[in-house]
Amino acid sequence: MMRSLQSRAALSVAGLVACLPAWAADAITGDVKQRDLNWHAIIMFFVFVAFTLGITYWAARRTRSAKDFYAAGGGISGFQNGLAIAGDYMSAASFLGISALVMTSGYDGLIYSIGFLVGWPIITFLVAERLRNLGKFTFADVASYRLSQTPVRTFAAVGTLCTVALYLIAQMVGAGKLIQLLFGMSYLSAVILVGILMVMYVTFGGMLATTWVQIIKAVMLLCGATFMAIMVLATSGFSFETMFQTAVASHPKGLAIMSPGGMVSNPIDAISLGVGLMFGTAGLPHILMRFFTVKDAKEARKSVFVATGFIGYFYILTFIIGFGAIMLVLGKPEFTETIVKDGQPVSQLIGGANMAAVHLANAVGGDFFLGFISAVAFATILAVVSGLALSGASAVSHDLYASVFAKGRATEAKEIRVSKMATVALGIVAILLGILFENQNVAFMVGLAFAIAASANFPVLFLSMFWKGLTTRGAVVGGLVGLLSAVVMIVLGPAVWVKTLGHAQALFPYENPSIFSMPLAFLTIWIVSSLDNSAQAARERALFIPQFIRSMTGIGAEGASKH
Amino acid sequence: MDEALIQRIQSNPKFTQLVETRSRLGWTLSIIMLVIYYGFILVLAFSPTTFGTPISAGSVTTIGIPVGVLVILSAFVITGVYVRRANTQFDQLTREIVEEVRQ
């Protein structure tokens, strides 16, 4: 790239420092391993930030009521929301993590992508319309529709915050690594920059700004990934067979990359991963929240169809991009660095395996396109963390503050203020978590978020809409059992117990807990609800019929606000 | 929603029809998706070499590649089938129910 241009690098550092607050200057002048700087990336990134801050300003002037803040006034179209959902889902973890997984393991990357996708049809058939007809701002609105507000909303808020925190970790780590590579900034300052921008989008522009940031980024990402995939195919004469042959010839694992490998060596883990990804999608609070931004059930359903199409297309692209990285990036000296790990020199991709797609952009499109893809990847992180922050903040303000503490007596203005304060707090937590989890595989961290979503949020949400017999007691006890069992199994499993805490042997043998924790949650909910003979339980069961009618017909559902 | 409205909706044959057809279609398509996906995962888990078989002699492309892409396409197509039915039949039924019970 620009190895020799020391003076240019120094200049751009000066330029960067000028744009950044004082804390960043130290990080840059400190003993950071100086990366090559790419002006294209820096300029494009700042153009994106300036443009999205402009949108945030525009959105801020249109965001007055709580409905504007949480749900963009319900005025987003089905197609726009579909793109925004796709944007939420095509996170940096998907883009960088899965293309890296394809590069290192080949076919296994495709298995992961498929798992991420197949939850969408289920959401369309069973969740989307009912959710839109019943809820207002958060999935807790639906879960607590006929149940006792305080316990169910508290549970839903805890489930939301756990999912959001885990998902945030993955995004923050991705952000840190990416900016470290691109800007020559330290990991710490990169993570702090992301945290600050995220807080700005959400606190000033609410859901309207978050949605448009998401849409713009989704379009940029889809265009960039399409270009990369076409360039990769062009290098192999648009023949998949030639592409696979070249990749097999240059990959250290050879033919093994064309077959399922290590990821499914353990059948229980493979199925468990599938359960987690499929049902976790239907329990992700920041995704569920998107269904309240459209005007009715029809638009909600349309948005999932649009999202499924774009996400499926995107995963096919990441597969091609991963193979492109095998052919054009893996093992090439210009993209390899030597680091010292456990006292041994190890050669790896510059910035780690997750940088596969970024290096490929350089290989197929030069510095300018590298700049574009880097800016897109960074924009992706910003957009996704903003959606997550809004979702986490809503759980705090709408569920915990307005419903649990103020018992529905808080004014809208007060609720929005609490939401903004919660966003700031989440920004700080996200930065701290980003620092703590610097060296974890990002795609894998997302898997953990999915396990909790599948084991805690999904069973309660699903049964609240489908099972007359659900009671408050059953929902809270069963949901907590699902949550705790997923967390405990993750902590005692290989990812945390061995890789993070440094123990020799995992106490729980599987990476993915969902196959145990999700049925356990369903079973507990069923047993506790069935045994619940209280008068309150009888009232809650009686309320199912009106709820069911509303979920089916939309009579009484929240409309779009008019302005 | 008052008690009388609930009664009128529940006794409306079109509501019964809506609930039945929507549930049947929703569950059928969900089961199809589950079978496709878990079929895929089970083959991976219990017979990993199946998908590693070359698509033809001398080719490095394995059967797993087109199968994987087909699973992705099936998710999109199945969602499309539901949305199409819902946009026409279900929305029409819902509109009729709402009009009839509001009279």
Side-chain angles (χ1 to χ4, degrees):
Chain A
M1 226 157 50
M2 291 187 264
R3 285 237 175 258
S4 58
L5 303 179
Q6 281 303 326
S7 57
R8 224 167 123 184
L11 245 177
S12 35
V13 168
L16 253 178
V17 172
C19 307
L20 293 165
W23 49 258
D26 273 329
I28 292 167
T29 51
D31 66 331
V32 173
K33 187 172 177 187
Q34 188 71 53
R35 301 287 185 199
D36 305 324
L37 273 148
N38 187 332
W39 271 108
H40 300 112
I42 295 162
I43 292 167
M44 273 183 268
F45 173 67
F46 279 106
V47 167
F48 175 83
V49 169
F51 186 59
T52 47
L53 286 176
I55 285 177
T56 308
Y57 177 73
W58 165 81
R61 294 166 50 135
R62 275 157 189 77
T63 301
R64 294 190 189 89
S65 66
K67 192 175 176 71
D68 295 333
F69 184 76
Y70 293 122
I76 305 288
S77 79
F79 185 81
Q80 290 165 348
N81 192 40
L83 260 178
I85 292 175
D88 256 323
Y89 215 59
M90 300 182 300
S91 58
S94 302
F95 179 55
L96 302 179
I98 293 183
S99 51
L101 195 60
V102 173
M103 182 192 73
T104 50
S105 326
Y107 192 77
D108 282 359
L110 188 64
I111 303 173
Y112 222 86
S113 306
I114 290 171
F116 275 113
L117 184 69
V118 291
W120 287 102
I122 309 288
I123 292 184
T124 319
F125 311 147
L126 304 178
V127 178
E129 300 163 47
R130 289 170 172 86
L131 193 76
R132 178 63 192 83
N133 281 339
L134 291 172
K136 205 172 168 194
F137 303 142
T138 63
F139 89 91
D141 291 336
V142 181
S144 69
Y145 188 87
R146 67 192 157 96
L147 305 181
S148 178
Q149 295 293 309
T150 302
V152 175
R153 282 197 190 262
T154 308
F155 158 74
V158 171
T160 300
L161 290 171
C162 288
T163 318
V164 163
L166 276 168
Y167 220 112
L168 266 176
I169 293 168
Q171 304 304 321
M172 295 309 261
V173 172
K177 296 267 163 75
L178 186 72
I179 302 164
Q180 201 176 17
L181 179 78
L182 250 185
F183 292 70
M185 247 161 93
S186 76
Y187 181 87
L188 178 72
S189 45
V191 163
I192 293 172
L193 179 67
V194 171
I196 288 175
L197 284 169
M198 159 186 113
V199 168
M200 286 179 74
Y201 290 140
V202 176
T203 50
F204 296 118
M207 183 55 108
L208 190 58
T210 308
T211 303
W212 278 102
V213 169
Q214 205 62 271
I215 291 172
I216 294 163
K217 157 258 154 148
V219 171
M220 284 167 62
L221 181 56
L222 285 165
C223 293
T226 303
F227 175 75
M228 273 165 89
I230 290 173
M231 293 305 283
V232 167
L233 288 175
T235 61
S236 38
F238 292 96
S239 153
F240 281 97
E241 176 65 22
T242 314
M243 177 177 89
F244 292 139
Q245 268 169 2
T246 321
V248 165
S250 57
H251 200 287
K253 292 180 189 164
L255 255 181
I257 58 169
M258 300 305 297
S259 309
M263 221 170 96
V264 291
S265 57
N266 187 332
I268 303 281
D269 240 342
I271 299 167
S272 193
L273 174 71
V275 171
L277 293 179
M278 189 167 206
F279 297 104
T281 305
L284 289 177
H286 66 295
I287 300 275
L288 295 172
M289 197 176 178
R290 292 229 135 273
F291 292 110
F292 306 119
T293 65
V294 295
K295 75 174 188 333
D296 55 23
K298 181 178 183 158
E299 294 299 308
R301 168 205 306 150
K302 191 171 147 194
S303 52
V304 210
F305 179 57
V306 171
T308 311
F310 281 123
I311 295 167
Y313 172 66
F314 175 72
Y315 282 144
I316 292 173
L317 296 180
T318 52
F319 188 65
I320 298 170
I321 289 169
F323 270 89
I326 297 174
M327 295 194 293
L328 305 168
V329 173
L330 194 65
K332 298 281 187 286
E334 64 268 38
F335 300 120
T336 309
E337 65 180 356
T338 306
I339 56 155
V340 179
K341 200 174 177 184
D342 303 328
Q344 298 286 323
V346 183
S347 72
Q348 65 161 27
L349 220 56
I350 296 175
N354 286 324
M355 290 300 130
V358 176
H359 292 307
L360 181 68
N362 191 20
V364 300
D367 281 347
F368 182 80
F369 190 64
L370 168 69
F372 178 77
I373 281 296
S374 308
V376 168
F378 194 4
T380 294
I381 293 165
L382 278 179
V384 173
V385 293
S386 304
L388 288 165
L390 182 58
S391 172
S394 315
V396 173
S397 59
H398 182 62
D399 297 329
L400 284 182
Y401 172 73
S403 302
V404 176
F405 293 111
K407 306 280 178 209
R409 286 189 298 269
T411 61
E412 269 193 25
K414 195 96 189 282
E415 189 180 323
I416 296 175
R417 201 156 64 238
V418 171
S419 204
K420 291 180 176 181
M421 277 153 43
T423 309
V424 175
L426 267 169
I428 295 167
V429 171
I431 291 166
L432 294 177
L433 289 175
I435 297 164
L436 195 67
F437 282 88
E438 187 179 342
N439 295 314
Q440 293 285 309
N441 180 318
V442 294
F444 176 71
M445 290 304 291
V446 170
L448 302 189
F450 274 75
I452 293 184
S455 314
N457 308 350
F458 174 72
V460 172
L461 177 67
F462 180 82
L463 291 176
S464 75
M465 297 191 293
F466 280 86
W467 187 43
K468 189 182 178 203
L470 179 74
T471 71
T472 299
R473 222 176 275 172
V476 173
V477 174
L480 284 177
V481 165
L483 178 76
L484 290 176
S485 56
V487 170
V488 167
M489 288 179 213
I490 287 164
V491 170
L492 300 182
V496 177
W497 198 252
V498 179
K499 288 177 200 153
T500 309
L501 299 175
H503 295 272
Q505 192 72 40
L507 298 177
F508 176 75
Y510 305 109
E511 301 258 358
N512 306 289
S514 306
I515 199 174
F516 305 105
S517 52
M518 190 179 91
L520 189 63
F522 271 106
L523 188 72
T524 315
I525 295 173
W526 179 71
I527 292 173
V528 176
S529 296
S530 303
L531 293 176
D532 189 352
N533 292 322
S534 61
Q536 190 198 341
R539 274 198 305 280
E540 287 166 354
R541 292 188 189 105
L543 284 171
F544 182 76
I545 293 293
Q547 180 198 333
F548 179 71
I549 289 174
R550 173 166 160 176
S551 80
M552 279 284 151
T553 61
I555 295 172
E558 286 283 316
S561 58
K562 316 245 183 309
H563 56 80
Chain B
M1 238 187 288
D2 58 54
E3 205 52 45
L5 182 64
I6 290 167
Q7 283 301 326
R8 277 209 301 282
I9 295 173
Q10 270 192 300
S11 56
N12 189 318
K14 280 179 181 160
F15 180 70
T16 321
Q17 193 196 343
L18 175 71
V19 171
E20 276 172 10
T21 43
R22 198 210 294 265
S23 303
R24 199 179 318 126
L25 183 70
W27 285 109
T28 310
L29 294 176
S30 297
I31 289 165
I32 291 174
M33 194 67 241
L34 288 169
V35 166
I36 291 174
Y37 179 57
Y38 286 101
F40 175 75
I41 292 289
L42 287 175
V43 172
L44 282 174
F46 293 103
S47 174
T49 49
T50 308
F51 286 156
T53 319
I55 208 157
S56 61
S59 146
V60 298
T61 310
T62 51
I63 290 175
I65 306 276
V67 170
V69 173
L70 277 178
V71 175
I72 291 179
L73 288 180
S74 72
F76 181 63
V77 170
I78 292 173
T79 310
V81 169
Y82 180 84
V83 170
R84 208 189 153 89
R85 274 283 293 281
N87 280 350
T88 51
Q89 197 190 351
F90 300 161
D91 282 352
Q92 179 63 30
L93 269 174
T94 308
R95 263 195 305 277
E96 288 170 15
I97 295 165
V98 172
E99 274 168 26
E100 285 171 23
V101 299
R102 286 265 156 92
Q103 273 164 12

